[in-house]
Amino acid sequence: MTYVAPLLVGVVYITLMSLIREPHRRQFNAIMVAGAGAAYLSGGGFGAAEFAFTAIVTYCAYRGLRSWTFIGIAWLLHTAWDLLQHLKGNPIVPFLHDSSLGCALCDPVIAVWCLRGGPDVIAWTRARLRTLVSWEPVRQS
């Protein structure tokens, strides 16, 4: 469950984000990744590097206000930071030992979605279901 739950959280996040219309979806996600970039500041696991990391992610988030690519890059940076924090033993949630690992598994799911342009997965799923439902087998005479 340590590995599956974070992946499911990523999928749920993407699904919920699909309820927000563009361009607000992109802007909201830029704000979300900016917040995620500052999540480790109170822990201080890497000292001054925490501030440098936060500045880099904040820059990507700012650029993400107009570009899904930058939001995806910021999530990938956060993934790398999560892994470093996990290896150091500095979890993002102090009372959950594997929380940084979970975050490192969840974040790339979100990053891939962002790098694909943050599509509406609800509309995509509906379209696929309509295709399946309207499919008619070939009848042989």
Side-chain angles (χ1 to χ4, degrees):
M1 201 59 162
T2 300
Y3 304 108
V4 176
L7 299 174
L8 292 175
V9 168
V11 170
V12 168
Y13 177 89
I14 291 167
T15 304
L16 291 174
M17 288 301 108
S18 294
L19 297 172
I20 302 173
R21 300 277 180 233
E22 281 290 6
H24 305 295
R25 183 182 319 135
R26 185 185 63 244
Q27 295 164 346
F28 185 85
N29 276 275
I31 293 167
M32 288 296 287
V33 78
Y40 286 104
L41 276 178
S42 65
F46 287 108
E50 301 284 351
F51 292 100
F53 173 75
T54 300
I56 292 166
V57 171
T58 301
Y59 172 77
C60 288
Y62 172 73
R63 294 290 305 269
L65 289 169
R66 291 195 167 84
S67 167
W68 277 106
T69 301
F70 276 97
I71 298 171
I73 290 168
W75 279 116
L76 290 175
L77 288 170
H78 196 264
T79 300
W81 203 248
D82 289 327
L83 286 173
L84 290 172
Q85 296 284 357
H86 176 69
L87 292 173
K88 184 170 180 167
N90 187 36
I92 192 167
V93 180
F95 54 88
L96 294 174
H97 181 272
D98 289 334
S99 58
S100 291
L101 176 62
C103 203
L105 294 170
C106 176
D107 292 352
V109 173
I110 299 169
V112 168
W113 174 71
C114 291
L115 292 170
R116 293 186 50 108
D120 181 342
V121 296
I122 295 172
W124 181 84
T125 303
R126 283 182 184 151
R128 297 302 163 266
L129 289 174
R130 259 187 250 121
T131 302
L132 287 173
V133 170
S134 66
W135 180 78
E136 295 180 23
V138 178
R139 296 183 189 170
Q140 299 204 3
S141 313

